[in-house]
Amino acid sequence: MKLPVLALCLFATAAAAPLAAAQTPMDPLDARDARRIDKMEQVVRELRAIVFQGRDIGKPVVVQPAETDYQLQEVTRRLADLEQSMTRMTGDLESANRQAELAKRDAEQLRAENKSLADRLASLESRALAETVAPPDGLAGGPSSGLPAGDLFTQSRQALASGDYAAAENGFREYVDAHGETSKAPEARYWLGKALSARGAHADAAGSYIAAIRGWPSTSWAPDAVVELSRSLIALKKPADACQTLAELAKRYPKASTTVQTRAAQARSQAKCAA
């Protein structure tokens, strides 16, 4: 009876041996080898397909890497190109934003400077007119000559050219009193300022020049009137106001004649204007 029991034990041991072997985990190296074999089989299948395709169409066939690896490489390359493009675009956008911000600041500064210049010129005009003994629109002159406007203007110009400043002053005062609203009146005030400057009446002359160039007219005599105004202000010991006036000359009349620009440079030097 003992022999069958021993046989049964040996049989159970033999049956359990394959089961234990089946439950033993696979070596990692064996797993990698299995993957390599799978990949090689895939390559072989692709090569067979390529060979059969070449045989069927009778044309050369370009052999490429395994499809999955090739696609991954292509996607990686495209992503790198895209990242470079986005980096460049981001840099260009930041540069454009900086330039736009700088342009905005420059425009705001220019508007502020223009307003400041306008305010200073208005203040200068107000002070000069306030100090004028005889305002241009109410100039006190001698008795009326009764001459027509054109003749009165011509005679006054002739008196000024001949050096008869008193007669020129009276004539232009009369013209302004009688014809102060005509288109010729600003020029009459300019010539009146010339006569007053020649006689040393610098405050009255400054008022006449300011009235003449009010509105910055585009006339041949206007740039010279601005220079004469600055000279009157220098004579009145107001160099800062003279420098502001000369700065407006360069801005309002950039194409003034060489003679006017030379006299303006002399006035800037005399007033010690900043460069």
Side-chain angles (χ1 to χ4, degrees), residues 136-138 174-189 214:
D137 290 332
E174 180 182 344
Y175 188 97
V176 170
D177 283 339
H179 312 287
E181 301 301 325
T182 63
S183 59
K184 200 76 170 175
E187 184 178 358
R189 291 187 173 94
R214 184 178 288 118

Side-chain angles (χ1 to χ4, degrees), residues 28-267:
L29 293 177
D30 294 338
R32 285 198 295 271
D33 291 340
R35 286 196 296 271
R36 291 194 187 98
I37 292 173
D38 291 341
K39 188 172 182 179
M40 291 177 62
E41 290 178 351
Q42 178 184 359
V43 172
V44 169
R45 288 195 297 271
E46 291 179 355
L47 289 175
R48 289 182 61 191
I50 292 171
V51 171
F52 290 149
Q53 180 184 4
R55 184 190 63 185
D56 294 340
I57 63 177
K59 295 180 181 179
V61 178
V62 178
V63 179
Q64 296 180 342
E67 187 67 19
T68 302
D69 293 342
Y70 175 76
Q71 289 180 351
L72 286 175
Q73 293 174 3
E74 185 67 14
V75 169
T76 302
R77 183 185 64 79
R78 292 181 180 179
L79 284 175
D81 293 343
L82 181 59
E83 289 177 355
Q84 292 179 359
S85 299
M86 291 184 66
T87 301
R88 288 194 299 269
M89 291 175 63
T90 302
D92 294 341
L93 182 59
E94 291 177 352
S95 177
N97 288 337
R98 286 195 298 269
Q99 292 177 359
E101 184 65 23
L102 291 175
K104 181 180 178 181
R105 292 179 183 177
D106 291 343
E108 291 176 352
Q109 182 178 358
L110 183 59
R111 285 195 295 269
E113 290 176 354
N114 287 339
K115 185 178 184 301
S116 178
L117 284 173
D119 292 342
R120 288 201 299 267
L121 183 60
S123 176
L124 171 63
E125 180 178 343
S126 299
R127 290 199 303 270
L129 287 176
E131 295 174 1
T132 301
V133 176
D137 290 332
L139 297 173
S144 175
S145 64
L147 294 173
D151 294 341
L152 179 59
F153 190 95
T154 300
Q155 287 189 8
S156 300
R157 284 283 288 113
Q158 291 173 350
L160 182 63
S162 65
D164 190 353
Y165 303 121
E169 177 185 346
N170 290 332
F172 284 121
R173 283 184 185 276
E174 180 182 344
Y175 188 97
V176 170
D177 283 339
H179 312 287
E181 301 301 325
T182 63
S183 59
K184 200 76 170 175
E187 184 178 358
R189 291 187 173 94
Y190 161 66
W191 293 115
L192 174 59
K194 286 276 197 179
L196 292 167
S197 294
R199 299 188 67 190
H202 300 297
D204 284 355
S208 294
Y209 292 133
I210 289 175
I213 63 174
R214 184 178 288 118
W216 305 103
S218 300
T219 62
S220 59
W221 50 265
D224 185 69
V226 177
V227 176
E228 289 297 332
L229 172 57
S230 69
R231 288 163 58 87
S232 296
L233 293 170
I234 293 172
L236 293 170
K237 301 188 184 303
K238 294 185 176 182
D241 291 341
C243 291
Q244 292 176 8
T245 302
L246 292 168
E248 284 296 316
L249 171 68
K251 176 183 176 183
R252 304 286 181 173
Y253 303 108
K255 296 182 180 180
S257 67
T258 303
T259 301
V260 170
Q261 292 182 10
T262 300
R263 295 177 63 244
Q266 293 172 350

